[in-house]
């Protein structure tokens, strides 16, 4: 009969136990918050990119004053011109602003996306983490979900009469949230594996 070898695992088990205790310390809480902020940053990047920007320009007819690559002198062509001087982007800036006024751009208090994500509070409720991403612009929900309007009413801000009774929503936040939920498991698995490799050496 073959002789059985002896296995000494007490030292290895003690080392593993120490490493596991270390993982239960504040390093783990910081890692969890880091994961939540990364998901929030990815959500914010998607929703900002998807948020429409108001176009206050209109097509006008222009007479070419001289020959150019596209037109001869005297040709009449159409060109988009912003007569109001109003610029869009308030709703997009709203994702990283604290108030509607900040988002309008006059005060310059809107943060860049990275600084905004770092300032977010992570709420721990039981086994769940919550991060609130809010757009304070007053009409954000109307653009997100759609809204009714009165056909035929003249709106001076856009210089046009309304044609449809319903304006469909853009669902920029709703769609972005679904996309993040789809990629979250793989992203978190990758981050957890990297974290364990670094801390279990």
């Amino acid at each position: 009969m073959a002789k059985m070898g002896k296995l000494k695992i007490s030292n290895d088990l003690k080392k593993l136990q120490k490493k596991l205790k270390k993982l239960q310390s504040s390093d783990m809480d910081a890692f969890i918050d880091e994961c939540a902020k990364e998901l929030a940053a990815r959500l914010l990047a998607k929703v900002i990119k998807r948020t429409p920007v108001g176009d206050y320009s209109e097509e006008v007819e222009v007479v070419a004053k001289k020959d150019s690559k596209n037109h001869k002198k005297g040709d009449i062509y159409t060109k988009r011109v912003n007569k109001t001087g109003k610029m869009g982007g308030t709703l997009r800036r709203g994702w990283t602003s604290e108030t509607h006024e900040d988002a309008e751009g006059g005060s310059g208090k809107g943060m860049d996306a990275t600084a905004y994500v770092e300032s977010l509070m992570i709420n721990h409720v039981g086994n769940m983490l919550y991060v609130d991403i809010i757009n304070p612009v007053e009409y954000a929900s109307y653009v997100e979900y759609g809204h009714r309007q009165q056909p035929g009413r003249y709106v001076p801000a856009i210089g046009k009469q309304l044609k449809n009774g319903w304006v469909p929503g853009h669902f920029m936040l709703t769609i972005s949230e679904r996309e993040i939920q789809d990629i979250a498991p793989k992203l978190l698995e990758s981050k957890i594996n990297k974290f364990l490799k670094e801390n279990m050496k």
Side-chain angles (χ1 to χ4, degrees):
M1 183 172 253
K3 186 176 180 184
M4 301 298 279
K6 291 185 179 179
L7 185 61
K8 293 183 180 179
I9 57 169
S10 62
N11 286 340
D12 290 337
L13 282 176
K14 286 179 182 177
K15 286 179 186 176
L16 179 62
Q17 186 180 19
K18 285 180 184 178
K19 289 177 182 178
L20 289 173
K21 279 185 181 179
K22 182 184 173 193
L23 286 177
Q24 292 174 348
S25 69
S26 62
D27 291 347
M28 186 57 101
D29 291 337
F31 171 72
I32 290 169
D33 286 355
E34 179 188 320
C35 288
K37 285 187 178 185
E38 180 164 345
L39 289 172
R42 287 175 180 252
L43 174 64
L44 199 57
K46 285 178 176 288
V47 76
I48 288 172
K49 186 177 180 181
R50 195 170 265 128
T51 301
V53 175
D55 180 9
Y56 298 96
S57 64
E58 59 183 75
E59 283 193 6
V60 294
E61 288 188 346
V62 178
V63 177
K65 295 181 180 176
K66 59 182 181 177
D67 289 343
S68 69
K69 183 179 175 183
N70 299 323
H71 307 286
K72 293 183 180 178
K73 184 177 180 181
D75 283 351
I76 298 174
Y77 63 97
T78 59
K79 177 180 175 181
R80 292 201 71 80
V81 176
N82 184 349
K83 292 180 179 179
T84 64
K86 188 174 179 181
M87 298 298 291
T90 300
L91 186 60
R92 190 173 275 186
R93 286 187 299 274
W95 293 112
T96 57
S97 298
E98 292 181 15
T99 66
H100 181 103
E101 291 74 25
D102 291 346
E104 285 181 321
S107 66
K109 290 183 183 175
M111 295 183 238
D112 72 334
T114 307
Y116 181 76
V117 168
E118 285 303 314
S119 74
L120 289 174
M121 292 295 299
I122 311 239
N123 301 311
H124 299 257
V125 180
N127 290 338
M128 302 293 287
L129 296 175
Y130 293 93
V131 179
D132 291 329
I133 296 179
I134 299 168
N135 192 324
V137 176
E138 294 161 1
Y139 53 84
S141 64
Y142 299 112
V143 177
E144 175 74 15
Y145 300 112
H147 61 90
R148 289 184 291 172
Q149 62 185 13
Q150 183 181 6
R153 191 178 119 230
Y154 178 76
V155 180
I158 60 174
K160 297 177 184 174
Q161 282 189 326
L162 302 176
K163 295 181 182 174
N164 301 319
W166 177 256
V167 176
H170 287 268
F171 300 101
M172 58 262 181
L173 183 59
T174 304
I175 293 168
S176 299
E177 283 176 339
R178 274 192 228 129
E179 289 177 358
I180 291 299
Q181 286 174 355
D182 289 344
I183 68 164
K186 278 189 176 181
L187 176 73
L188 292 174
E189 182 181 351
S190 171
K191 287 186 75 65
I192 290 168
N193 286 337
K194 183 179 176 187
F195 178 75
L196 289 174
K197 283 180 185 174
E198 290 172 358
N199 288 285
M200 297 296 276
K201 292 178 183 176

